[in-house]
Amino acid sequence: MNLTDLLPAAPEMTLLGLICVVLLADLFVEDEKRVITFWLTIAALFITGTSLVLTAQETRTVLFDGSYVSDPLSHVLKLTAVGVVAIGFMYARDYLHQNKLFKGEYYVLGLFGLLGTMVMISANSMLTMYLGLETLSLSLFALVAFDRNSATAAESAMKFFVLGAIASGALLYGISWIYGITGSLQFHEISEAIRTNPEINAVPLWFGLAFVIVGIGFKFGAVPFHMWLPDVYQGARSPVTLYIATAPKLAALALTLRILVDGFSGLHEVWQGMIMVLAVLSLVIGNVVAIAQTNIKRMLGYSAIGHVGFILLAVFCGTGQGYAAALFYTLTYVVMAAGSFGMVILLSRQGFEAELLSDFKGLNARSPWFAFMMLFFMFGLAGVPPWVGFFAKLNVISAVLDAGFPGLAVLMVLAAVVGAFYYIRVVWLMYFESAEERAILQAKVDTRFILSLNGLAVLAIGLMPGWLLSLCMRVLG
Amino acid sequence: MFQAVLFYFFAAALFAAALGVILSRNPVHAALFLVLAFFQSAVLWLLAEAEFLAIVLVLVYVGAVMVLFLFVVMMLDVDVERVRGGLTRYAPFGLLVAALMVIELVQVIWFRGRTDAGLGGFQPTPDGYSNTKALGAILYTEHVYAFEIAAVILLLAMVAAITLTMRKRPGLKVQNIAEQVAVKAKDRVRIVKMETEKRQ
């Protein structure tokens, strides 16, 4: 075995090495020069992204005796994850400065979470998947509790930790059943075992699979395993909420696709029903409960549950078209979620968290450009054409229709209409209500620039969705 | 046959201990039950001739982690009366757990001493087979990726724990060595001139 054989895993190794560099460098940086850690982190992300691009291959490579897989799907997901984490860090800088939370550990924990996400995306065995999941979850728990002076943050971190531990337990229990029945932890061997021994396709295996799907539901935040999500979104500081709303969603998609498609495509009829229940409940409860929220972070949390319903319904189809639609939806959702929480961060300032819907009142009078950007994000999430959310929803609906489930397609359209109400309410508050306060936005030029780019991207991908869609089709083809 | 009986006995004890962990109201009892559960799993491993794993489980989990756990549980217990009665109060329960462990160990050792035990149960390992060596070989070849990630998780746990506990807060008592060294006698000692008392 040559060292060059390990080249496809170079991005993870690079990132781990750079995390150690940032961790050590941060020890020697004085508090006033903490911005050095920030720029080192951004450089680390840039180098990781570059190594991802350089090592990208069109073929599927399996490494480390089947624990690691490198394929086009993993490149797309990882590159997006690196991108959104970098964007999230850029948005968070001023906020952390103003709230005296500008510490190196925030970036180190964020990078560790990204590493966990990347490990999950490239997992080819249950063991690697679980370890990646724990890496991601542990850094998220610590990030939520990051502000030690906030009681709500501690409370939501505790809730997140306990529920996350239960979810991990359920996942491990399911994995142990699957391992006992199929005799392997690797996805392609599980799939092979099911194909060669059709008699194992029976209740014990379904029992194990059900527990794995409970784990997936928890990590995605699908109803009825969504209880942690609104509380954590609200309780965490806004930059942490942004983080939780972006990279982990990509990891959850990878978790779903790797296990259900790579491992259990032979049991499609079995998991289809379970996924449908999760998806339909998420669509209905997420969108309806979001209407009643007055806190925008909580509202976006419930809206995330609704979006998870769309993603799961796309996976539910069990067709290549459906998987591509799920990938497209997740990629675009993550970009829009980053922008929306970026706006919440932008409006916050020292000692003031712009987390109520009323804080967005009359934003047009304060900053016409950023009100316009928020309009982009809200219309994107609502699915108004030509913003990108429209095409994401359209792809899922057409995939579900092609799979022969018109009833579910109607339900999705209704859910999207209900969802449009609370997104457009934000737009209405910004443009047609008078401002309660007139504080000037305090963000630096580079933050403003990236937030604007983010908003324009939501429109630009929506105007030209073809390339991303064909990329998704090619990756999952 | 005999091995199967032993297996089911240990498995039942493990199950009962696990139920005890979640059902007992007293946290100290729950922790002791957890010790018992770890020990049962170790004995099961011993039965399968996985000696290294069994010993590591007892040494690391029973010997170190659970003792720490018990310390924490006892320190956090707000009911002072209960803590005071600690040693004698839990002695019968602890002795019961310990007795069960001893009985099981004796059973396993006695059984392993017999040579004619090929009936049912786990397959015997070939002569000269080293469980520890096999484990080491597979850990650093086949599972090297998972092993490295596990190491990363430990590093992450360390960073997370330090982040969450080490902070500056009012009222925190810390030693300032520079200040201690630079201190002068007149900062600490106040010399008061007093009139001498008259002899009476």
Side-chain angles (χ1 to χ4, degrees):
Chain A
M1 182 160 182
N2 290 321
L3 204 58
T4 48
D5 291 348
L6 299 179
L7 207 59
E12 278 85 354
M13 298 183 199
T14 317
L15 180 58
L16 179 57
L18 291 170
I19 290 174
C20 295
V21 171
V22 174
L23 189 60
L24 284 179
D26 184 55
L27 278 180
F28 298 100
V29 174
E30 289 157 29
D31 268 342
E32 305 84 63
K33 296 178 189 157
R34 196 61 70 191
V35 74
I36 293 174
T37 312
F38 167 76
W39 285 113
L40 268 180
T41 309
I42 296 294
L45 288 170
F46 182 75
I47 295 169
T48 311
T50 315
S51 72
L52 268 169
V53 173
L54 289 179
T55 57
Q57 292 166 327
E58 280 296 307
T59 51
R60 183 186 162 87
T61 322
V62 175
L63 280 180
F64 295 113
D65 290 287
S67 9
Y68 180 96
V69 63
S70 163
D71 58 3
L73 171 66
S74 69
H75 303 317
V76 171
L77 282 177
K78 281 183 206 169
L79 211 53
T80 317
V82 172
V84 290
V85 169
I87 291 175
F89 284 166
M90 298 290 254
Y91 291 163
R93 186 177 55 155
D94 298 330
Y95 179 95
L96 294 175
H97 253 313
Q98 289 161 7
N99 289 285
K100 304 204 168 30
L101 288 169
F102 199 70
K103 294 179 194 149
E105 289 89 353
Y106 173 79
Y107 297 104
V108 173
L109 289 172
L111 288 177
F112 269 123
L114 176 65
L115 181 66
T117 306
M118 287 170 67
V119 169
M120 281 176 81
I121 290 169
S122 267
N124 194 42
S125 85
M126 293 283 193
L127 185 62
T128 331
M129 186 59 89
Y130 175 72
L131 287 170
L133 185 65
E134 283 304 295
T135 315
L136 173 61
S137 305
L138 263 180
S139 44
L140 289 185
F141 301 148
L143 276 174
V144 173
F146 187 67
D147 180 12
R148 292 287 284 105
N149 297 322
S150 155
T152 45
E155 184 204 325
S156 53
M158 204 60 215
K159 204 173 269 181
F160 193 19
F161 178 69
V162 172
L163 289 178
I166 293 173
S168 294
L171 187 70
L172 275 181
Y173 187 59
I175 290 174
S176 73
W177 274 79
I178 290 167
Y179 180 57
I181 293 163
T182 60
S184 178
L185 284 172
Q186 291 169 19
F187 298 134
H188 58 272
E189 286 180 6
I190 291 174
S191 152
E192 186 68 18
I194 293 169
R195 204 171 55 76
T196 49
N197 308 314
E199 73 275 5
I200 64 170
N201 184 356
V203 174
L205 189 60
W206 305 343
F207 184 74
L209 184 61
F211 275 93
V212 170
I213 287 179
V214 169
I216 292 175
F218 256 112
K219 293 304 161 189
F220 246 133
V223 181
F225 309 112
H226 66 294
M227 295 305 181
W228 60 271
L229 199 139
D231 291 339
V232 171
Y233 271 42
Q234 187 183 353
R237 299 306 289 251
S238 299
V240 178
T241 312
L242 188 156
Y243 190 91
I244 296 174
T246 52
K249 296 282 181 242
L250 298 167
L253 180 76
L255 177 75
T256 316
L257 288 181
R258 293 282 182 218
I259 292 182
L260 294 185
V261 181
D262 287 4
F264 284 94
S265 49
L267 260 63
H268 174 237
E269 292 81 19
V270 180
W271 55 256
Q272 194 174 35
M274 306 186 207
I275 293 290
M276 188 185 80
V277 173
L278 291 182
V280 168
L281 284 176
S282 305
L283 269 182
V284 174
I285 292 180
N287 279 313
V288 171
V289 180
I291 295 174
Q293 306 306 320
T294 52
N295 182 309
I296 190 161
K297 279 156 77 182
R298 207 171 173 82
M299 185 198 96
L300 287 172
Y302 276 106
S303 102
I305 297 172
H307 288 288
V308 164
F310 277 95
I311 296 168
L312 286 180
L313 270 183
V315 175
F316 151 89
C317 299
T319 55
Q321 189 194 2
Y323 302 145
L327 179 61
F328 185 89
Y329 202 107
T330 313
L331 293 179
T332 52
Y333 169 72
V334 159
V335 174
M336 292 185 286
S340 321
F341 285 108
M343 283 300 301
V344 176
I345 296 173
L346 181 78
L347 292 190
S348 305
R349 57 178 185 278
Q350 187 167 358
F352 173 74
E353 195 88 353
E355 55 178 13
L356 295 180
L357 279 177
S358 55
D359 294 329
F360 279 79
K361 273 185 189 170
L363 182 62
N364 186 40
R366 287 164 67 193
S367 167
W369 174 249
F370 283 107
F372 195 48
M373 285 298 118
M374 189 63 181
L375 176 133
F376 277 25
F377 296 128
M378 288 299 116
F379 277 2
L381 286 169
V384 177
W387 285 275
V388 70
F390 170 72
F391 290 97
K393 286 191 168 63
L394 191 69
N395 288 330
V396 177
I397 291 173
S398 70
V400 170
L401 273 179
D402 287 353
F405 297 94
L408 290 175
V410 171
L411 182 75
M412 279 194 279
V413 174
L414 288 177
V417 171
V418 173
F421 167 73
Y422 56 83
Y423 292 122
I424 291 173
R425 184 172 60 186
V426 177
V427 176
W428 185 72
L429 286 174
M430 289 191 305
Y431 281 90
F432 302 109
E433 292 267 334
S434 55
E436 283 175 353
E437 59 161 310
R438 319 204 62 86
I440 300 161
L441 304 182
Q442 294 177 336
K444 289 205 174 67
V445 178
D446 48 356
T447 315
R448 286 164 183 257
F449 178 69
I450 292 168
L451 193 57
S452 310
L453 274 188
N454 193 337
L456 292 174
V458 173
L459 181 64
I461 305 172
L463 289 174
M464 291 170 288
W467 65 272
L468 187 58
L469 195 58
S470 63
L471 180 75
C472 292
M473 289 298 271
R474 193 162 53 88
V475 158
L476 284 160
Chain B
M1 182 59 202
F2 181 65
Q3 201 174 6
V5 171
L6 273 187
F7 174 81
Y8 283 113
F9 175 70
F10 295 150
L14 169 60
F15 197 71
L19 277 180
V21 177
I22 53 170
L23 291 181
S24 53
R25 282 178 179 276
N26 188 329
V28 178
H29 283 187
L32 283 175
F33 268 124
L34 195 56
V35 169
L36 186 61
F38 281 135
F39 196 80
Q40 299 299 332
S41 332
V43 170
L44 279 181
W45 262 334
L46 214 54
L47 210 56
E49 302 192 17
E51 296 89 358
F52 177 73
L53 286 177
I55 291 169
V56 164
L57 189 68
V58 171
L59 281 184
V60 175
Y61 278 89
V62 179
V65 176
M66 285 316 297
V67 170
L68 211 68
F69 222 89
L70 273 175
F71 274 141
V72 173
V73 166
M74 288 182 164
M75 273 161 65
L76 288 183
D77 201 343
V78 281
D79 194 350
V80 182
E81 204 53 47
R82 268 198 204 169
V83 176
R84 234 176 243 160
L87 194 64
T88 47
R89 195 189 166 87
Y90 300 122
F93 187 74
L95 281 178
L96 186 78
V97 171
L100 198 56
M101 288 177 176
V102 170
I103 293 171
E104 288 184 350
L105 260 192
V106 169
Q107 275 175 318
V108 170
I109 292 166
W110 173 65
F111 163 74
R112 289 291 297 281
R114 288 159 47 126
T115 44
D116 59 339
L119 299 156
F122 297 100
Q123 280 190 349
T125 48
D127 281 344
Y129 176 85
S130 165
N131 194 283
T132 317
K133 205 187 228 174
L135 199 69
I138 204 169
L139 206 55
Y140 288 100
T141 52
E142 198 177 310
H143 293 299
V144 64
Y145 186 59
F147 188 78
E148 294 297 332
I149 301 168
V152 171
I153 293 180
L154 289 181
L155 174 64
L156 164 62
M158 214 165 80
V159 173
I162 293 173
T163 310
L164 293 185
T165 50
M166 205 180 90
R167 57 178 177 142
K168 294 189 181 72
R169 58 170 188 260
L172 196 68
K173 292 184 170 54
V174 284
Q175 193 180 15
N176 190 342
I177 295 167
E179 204 173 275
Q180 284 181 339
V181 172
V183 80
K184 299 245 166 33
K186 69 174 191 325
D187 299 337
R188 299 284 163 89
V189 183
R190 192 162 58 96
I191 297 168
V192 185
K193 289 260 185 227
M194 284 179 79
E195 293 285 313
T196 41
E197 292 280 315
K198 292 230 167 66
R199 187 167 298 197
Q200 287 171 343

